[in-house]
Amino acid sequence: MSEAGSEWWRTAVLYQIYVRSFADTDGDGLGDLPGIRSRLPYVSDLGVDGIWLTPFYPTPDADHGYDVSDYENVDPRFGTLADFDALVADAHDLGLRVIVDIVPNHTSSEHPWFRNALADPNGPDRARYVFRPGRDGGPPNNWESAFGGPAWTEDERSGEYYLHLFAPQQPDLDWHNETVRQAFQQILRFWLDRGVDGFRVDVAQSLYKERDLADVHIPDPRPRFGDWHTGLQQPELHDLYREWRQIVEEYPGDRMLVGEMFLADQTRLAEYVRPGELQQTFNFRFLFEEWEAASLRACIDEILAAFAAVGAPATWVLENHDVPRVATRYGGGAEGVRRARAAALLMLALPGAAYVYAGQELGLEEVDLADELRQDPIFARTGGRRAGRDGCRVPIPWTTGPGVGFTTGTPWLPMPPWWERSSVAAQDGDSQSMLELYRATLRLRRQLRALASGRLAWRDSPPGSLVFERAADSSTVVCVVNVDAPSVPLPEGELVLASDELEGSFLPPGTAAWLEG
Ligand code: NOJ
């Protein structure tokens, strides 16, 4: 690890591990912490700076861990606190940082606070949640759950409704309640004391609700990003994140906070990473761009300008556990994989930090599961209108043969017969594979000094392509991406990396290259 105070997070590449899908050591078909620990050498060898673990806390699993019933423990299916400590120690020995997910917007409905809140409407735990009387025989306002249906469920015993921006088993906390704020300070310290290097803050834009809980205007069709929801993104959030920043800064080692913010407006997004607030926020604009040169360039420019204005690093994401795999989004099949390879070179040449979701480095495609196998609450709550997110959560293939090295039991989601062809074992050492491309790209990213600090400057290039340089301390790296032009000439310089074979000194469509010069 780099030293304390180095602001390592400005350029870090973090590897997202969806805990239940990574590696299973006890044969129950669910990944676990010892499994992750056993695979840390693989992660380190990939060339990333750290890992982000999705929730591993005790959970009834209504939303696969994002419904936490105890914030200071490990679900027995995933291991123990001792396993967690051993995982952190091993990761640190390998020079990997460890970021954990924190879920402050809502608890599980099985959390003791919520059980108490239902059992005793006059007790103190009731005020930790958002309970309100109904209106005209229905919910208190017109808010909708992100998973479909109303954002309110009636507590039949009292006749009041409680708010849940997600599933009914995920009741929202009332962040205006001081005890909630204090409890989370304690939770942060609990994990910081155990050595974590930071937190990924779930639903980071929505903790505070507008006090009146007034109706909101819901655009139709409903936009992908949450900018329109005037009942959320309250100003109090900035104070909270300043407070959390102070807490992480009390600890040595430059620990960090990254917010999961689902906003399109870059200026508003960047307000959360002003000095003294969060160090990073995810930025999903890049992820949702089409594979189209002009719009990619405009999006990159807008993001870089907004984040530079507040002195914060941009973050780049192509995949996570909530969206279809990138190769599939870019068209699927050979073409989708080809574009995903080029996109890796593009993303990892951009200024700032980046996130790689486990399996992205294997070029895994979205799996189309039979409806009866789907487990994501989105599928059930929308009556099957939205397929949900299971297709990007299918466990990682490590080897060939039954269980593909993920499990000796029955995997929690079935793996397709062709899965083993994408396994780590199948790709290891094959210079044409996606895995070796990621390894080479991440290795070079560390070596090429210009990629650590150089500003991005665009160069002229044919329509349908992107060419930019990053220059620092007399070293220059040029990234050229043929998005969909008929052919793009290689710029001058020494070719150090290409996502696929070139045609002489030309890049065919869906190809990217790095040059030094
Ligand atoms: C965002 C997480 O990434 C997603 O998986 C989860 O369903 C929601 N937050 C609710 O916690």
Side-chain angles (χ1 to χ4, degrees):
M1 273 184 295
S2 37
E3 318 109 47
S6 62
E7 299 201 328
W8 59 275
W9 36 267
R10 285 189 177 272
T11 55
V13 180
L14 289 165
Y15 183 75
Q16 181 195 351
I17 295 181
Y18 193 64
V19 171
R20 56 194 294 130
S21 294
F22 199 61
D24 171 26
T25 50
D26 60 5
D28 66 355
L30 278 183
D32 46 46
L33 298 185
I36 296 170
R37 195 175 163 210
S38 73
R39 298 289 182 186
L40 284 178
Y42 165 82
V43 177
S44 161
D45 187 47
L46 192 57
V48 295
D49 300 291
I51 56 175
W52 149 32
L53 300 176
T54 58
F56 47 80
Y57 315 109
T59 172
D61 251 354
D63 186 20
H64 293 149
Y66 285 95
D67 48 319
V68 178
S69 54
D70 178 356
Y71 286 88
E72 296 184 354
N73 215 331
V74 174
D75 191 294
R77 294 168 306 159
F78 300 137
T80 62
L81 278 171
D83 291 327
F84 179 81
D85 293 341
L87 169 58
V88 172
D90 281 9
H92 286 170
D93 283 348
L94 287 165
L96 294 168
R97 310 267 178 175
V98 181
I99 304 294
V100 297
D101 228 303
I102 185 98
V103 188
N105 180 68
H106 44 265
T107 68
S108 159
S109 51
E110 295 298 312
H111 192 289
W113 293 346
F114 194 69
R115 287 169 170 241
N116 294 341
L118 290 184
D120 180 5
N122 299 313
D125 284 337
R126 183 86 167 187
R128 295 190 202 254
Y129 295 90
V130 186
F131 281 87
R132 292 289 184 280
R135 179 180 69 181
D136 306 330
N141 71 17
N142 71 343
W143 293 13
E144 292 175 347
S145 151
F147 290 171
W152 298 90
T153 290
E154 189 178 358
D155 161 27
E156 286 177 5
R157 200 155 146 205
S158 68
E160 287 193 323
Y161 289 76
Y162 67 88
L163 178 69
H164 51 87
L165 295 182
F166 297 91
Q169 299 90 338
Q170 294 167 292
D172 277 48
L173 287 163
D174 183 352
W175 272 86
H176 289 114
N177 180 311
E178 191 51 32
T179 65
V180 168
R181 196 167 160 143
Q182 284 165 6
F184 273 87
Q185 294 175 358
Q186 172 58 40
I187 292 163
L188 293 179
R189 289 183 197 285
F190 178 87
W191 294 104
L192 289 165
D193 287 339
R194 298 198 100 87
V196 303
D197 297 285
F199 300 93
R200 176 263 190 195
V201 184
D202 189 56
V203 198
Q205 79 211 49
S206 307
L207 309 192
Y208 287 90
K209 280 74 185 178
E210 192 250 324
R211 281 186 193 269
D212 292 343
L213 292 169
D215 279 351
V216 289
H217 169 68
I218 304 176
D220 184 20
R222 194 169 148 155
R224 170 175 277 143
F225 290 97
D227 306 56
W228 58 273
H229 201 310
T230 48
L232 309 176
Q233 307 156 56
Q234 299 302 294
E236 296 92 313
L237 270 177
H238 296 287
D239 285 340
L240 179 71
Y241 293 143
R242 277 190 279 270
E243 181 179 296
W244 285 14
R245 176 72 177 260
Q246 281 172 13
I247 292 175
V248 297
E249 286 189 348
E250 283 169 25
Y251 288 78
D254 203 5
R255 311 199 190 185
M256 73 107 165
L257 297 156
V258 51
E260 187 221 11
M261 302 260 175
F262 223 76
L263 297 172
D265 181 331
Q266 295 300 307
T267 307
R268 201 171 326 155
L269 195 54
E271 285 174 2
Y272 292 98
V273 286
R274 289 176 298 196
E277 299 197 31
L278 305 174
Q279 282 96 330
Q280 290 184 359
T281 162
F282 285 136
N283 197 325
F284 299 120
R285 277 279 304 282
F286 180 68
L287 182 155
F288 287 116
E289 281 305 329
E290 300 288 313
W291 185 244
E292 202 275 313
S295 55
L296 279 168
R297 176 170 168 166
C299 158
I300 291 167
D301 277 341
E302 208 189 317
I303 291 172
L304 289 177
F307 283 73
V310 295
T315 63
W316 308 100
V317 182
L318 283 169
E319 285 194 9
N320 63 33
H321 63 293
D322 292 330
V323 293
R325 294 274 188 185
V326 63
T328 309
R329 289 203 320 275
Y330 285 164
E335 186 176 60
V337 171
R338 185 178 178 83
R339 291 172 170 177
R341 293 171 67 93
L345 268 64
L346 168 62
M347 175 174 90
L348 292 168
L350 293 171
Y355 286 78
V356 173
Y357 175 50
Q360 181 177 335
E361 81 282 17
L362 302 176
L364 296 184
E365 284 219 48
E366 190 73 359
V367 178
D368 190 16
L369 293 152
D371 285 354
E372 61 275 17
L373 298 170
R374 293 190 186 278
Q375 301 199 21
D376 185 353
I378 289 181
F379 180 76
R381 282 188 60 84
T382 61
R385 266 178 296 109
R386 287 165 59 196
R389 302 160 293 179
D390 298 303
C392 66
R393 299 175 174 180
V394 174
I396 298 299
W398 293 97
T399 59
T400 51
V404 294
F406 166 71
T407 183
T408 53
T410 307
W412 73 280
L413 283 175
M415 297 177 281
W418 42 270
W419 215 227
E420 58 185 11
R421 287 206 304 272
S422 300
S423 67
V424 172
Q427 299 194 37
D428 192 26
D430 172 1
S431 61
Q432 308 297 309
S433 69
M434 183 73 103
L435 174 59
E436 293 300 348
L437 179 71
Y438 262 90
R439 284 177 173 158
T441 310
L442 288 162
R443 191 164 50 236
L444 270 174
R445 179 183 158 100
R446 281 186 170 174
Q447 284 165 8
L448 299 171
R449 275 174 305 128
L451 293 185
S453 58
R455 285 174 64 86
L456 179 148
W458 294 102
R459 290 188 179 176
D460 288 342
S461 69
S465 70
L466 300 169
V467 181
F468 61 86
E469 65 173 45
R470 310 261 324 266
D473 306 335
S474 73
S475 121
T476 302
V477 173
V478 181
C479 175
V480 45
V481 188
N482 181 352
V483 178
D484 57 2
S487 179
V488 174
L490 267 181
E492 276 192 14
E494 186 198 340
L495 181 68
V496 289
L497 185 66
S499 63
D500 267 295
E501 275 197 22
L502 305 185
E503 290 168 351
S505 52
F506 289 86
L507 284 89
T511 314
W514 288 3
L515 298 100
E516 225 186 337

